[in-house]
């Protein structure tokens, strides 16, 4: 039996579609359709942001509720992960949808620079979002935009603010933050394995190195993230046609590393989430 790989699809993000790829799903209907195809192609987690009709990112709980309802209906069993990222709202607003019943949510445990903004996560806000997640039984995915954020997460787990075992993601390739460097990736994985080997982990390659990071994760026994939020291209010559196309590529790659795409049931068990029931 090969080892399962949880494939996360990050379907939308918060960068305007008109400037990149028309396949990025924006409306709730487009998001549900795109996620459904990605789910069929092998994704078991959908990482989601929501947008206003004019494409601007929002943290409006009503929009999140509509999307969650559509995903529960059309993708039963799928793990739904809400983004609490900083482009869609200010401060506490970013956690205003955590009561809706999502399975997971992203949580950054530090601040850094993004291409054109400061990604600001004040210690008080991190604590507040973590408390909300615990209160609503939402499992955090710790977003580490640099290595220090990993240590902050382990400290918070030791203090009981985050529940163990953690699920952590190393995000590489964001301009002005952590570049895609193999030695840094290996250091991150080695530290996870040294400090808390029960931790589940994944890495995301933002931009042109998405597939490279997918391969590294498969090789080192981690999970994978793909999708149009992180990368809109298939290769240097053309845009990706859909989220499903990108998921299909990772799913196909699994076999080269004695891995298989985790079913939603396997993914739920690996992450310690409750099994799916109708
Ligand atoms: Zn995101």
């Amino acid at each position: 039996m090969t080892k399962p790989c949880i494939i996360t699809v990050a379907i939308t993000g918060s960068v305007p579609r008109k400037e990149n790829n028309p396949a990025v799903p924006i409306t709730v209907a487009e998001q549900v359709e795109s996620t459904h195809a990605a789910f069929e192609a092998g994704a078991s987690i959908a990482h989601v942001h929501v947008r206003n009709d004019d494409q601007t990112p929002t943290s409006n709980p009503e929009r999140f509720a509509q999307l969650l309802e559509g995903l529960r209906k059309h993708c039963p069993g799928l793990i739904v992960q809400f983004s609490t990222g900083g482009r869609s709202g200010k401060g506490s607003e970013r956690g205003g949808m955590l009561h809706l019943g999502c399975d997971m949510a992203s949580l950054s445990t530090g601040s850094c620079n993004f291409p054109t903004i400061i990604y600001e996560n004040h210690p008080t806000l991190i604590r507040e979002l973590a408390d909300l997640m615990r209160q609503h039984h939402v499992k955090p995915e710790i977003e580490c935009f640099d290595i220090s954020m990993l240590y902050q997460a382990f400290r918070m787990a030791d203090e009981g603010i985050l529940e163990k075992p953690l699920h952590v993601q190393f995000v590489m390739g964001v301009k002005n933050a952590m570049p895609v460097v193999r030695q840094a990736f290996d250091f991150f994985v080695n530290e996870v394995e040294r400090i808390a080997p029960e931790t589940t982990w994944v890495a995301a390659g933002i931009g042109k190195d998405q597939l490279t990071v997918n391969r590294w994760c498969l090789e080192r026994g981690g999970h994978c993230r793909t999708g149009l939020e992180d990368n809109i291209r298939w290769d240097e010559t053309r845009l990706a046609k859909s989220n499903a196309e990108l998921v299909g590529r990772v799913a196909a790659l699994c076999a080269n590393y004695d891995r298989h795409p985790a079913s939603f049931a396997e993914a739920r068990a690996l992450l310690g989430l409750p099994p799916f029931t109708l």
Side-chain angles (χ1 to χ4, degrees):
M1 186 64 182
T2 58
K3 184 178 171 175
C5 169
I6 302 169
I7 301 176
T8 296
V9 62
I11 56 167
T12 301
S14 48
V15 181
R17 168 167 66 177
K18 61 181 182 303
E19 292 169 17
N20 48 50
N21 182 337
V24 176
I26 303 296
T27 66
V28 166
E30 286 171 350
Q31 287 185 304
V32 171
E33 194 184 341
S34 183
T35 307
H36 181 250
F39 185 46
E40 303 247 288
S44 46
I45 301 179
H47 167 88
V48 300
H49 297 241
V50 292
R51 305 276 192 97
N52 294 310
D53 293 335
D54 66 359
Q55 296 204 20
T56 53
T58 178
S59 52
N60 184 347
E62 270 175 49
R63 210 25 87 95
F64 271 110
Q66 288 165 0
L67 177 58
L68 184 62
E69 190 189 346
L71 293 178
R72 290 285 189 241
K73 186 171 168 201
H74 295 281
C75 312
L78 173 74
I79 296 165
V80 179
Q81 181 187 98
F82 285 170
S83 169
T84 64
R87 288 198 187 90
S88 51
K90 288 272 168 284
S92 305
E93 272 176 28
R94 286 164 44 186
M97 68 327 199
L98 292 171
H99 64 284
L100 292 173
C102 58
D103 305 285
M104 299 180 76
S106 59
L107 177 68
S108 238
T109 46
S111 302
C112 65
N113 283 341
F114 272 4
T116 57
I117 58 165
I118 300 172
Y119 184 30
E120 203 176 313
N121 292 294
H122 191 282
T124 310
L125 176 64
I126 298 169
R127 174 69 197 254
E128 190 182 318
L129 292 171
D131 286 346
L132 271 174
M133 289 182 200
R134 249 186 11 264
Q135 197 180 318
H136 295 295
H137 307 290
V138 173
K139 179 161 179 132
E141 176 178 270
I142 307 299
E143 307 297 347
C144 301
F145 290 87
D146 72 35
I147 192 82
S148 83
M149 299 185 196
L150 179 69
Y151 298 107
Q152 300 320 313
F154 286 136
R155 177 185 52 77
M156 289 170 74
D158 284 339
E159 290 171 358
I161 299 163
L162 296 173
E163 280 175 34
K164 296 178 185 180
L166 296 178
H167 179 66
V168 301
Q169 171 159 256
F170 197 24
V171 187
M172 313 181 86
V174 175
K175 189 183 171 195
N176 297 330
M178 189 71 227
V180 178
V181 174
R182 180 64 200 238
Q183 286 86 344
F185 170 86
D186 283 330
F187 183 76
F188 180 92
V189 177
N190 294 345
E191 284 297 83
V192 168
E193 289 175 349
R194 180 181 69 84
I195 298 167
E198 70 281 13
T199 305
T200 49
W201 66 269
V202 52
I206 309 302
K208 64 179 175 48
D209 294 317
Q210 181 174 63
L211 186 60
T212 302
V213 175
N214 291 155
R215 288 198 174 101
W216 293 351
C217 289
L218 287 166
E219 183 196 321
R220 290 289 315 256
H223 302 288
C224 285
R225 164 160 152 165
T226 188
L228 293 168
E229 168 174 354
D230 298 351
N231 162 48
I232 56 167
R233 307 199 65 85
W234 175 258
D235 58 21
E236 283 167 20
T237 62
R238 72 164 173 90
L239 296 174
K241 289 183 187 139
S242 64
N243 279 304
E245 186 183 39
L246 293 171
V247 169
R249 175 157 69 177
V250 178
L253 207 55
C254 282
N256 298 356
Y257 297 87
D258 285 328
R259 309 287 300 272
H260 67 272
S263 67
F264 68 76
E266 285 176 310
R268 284 175 176 274
L270 284 166
L271 294 165
L273 296 172
F276 172 73
T277 45
L278 274 172

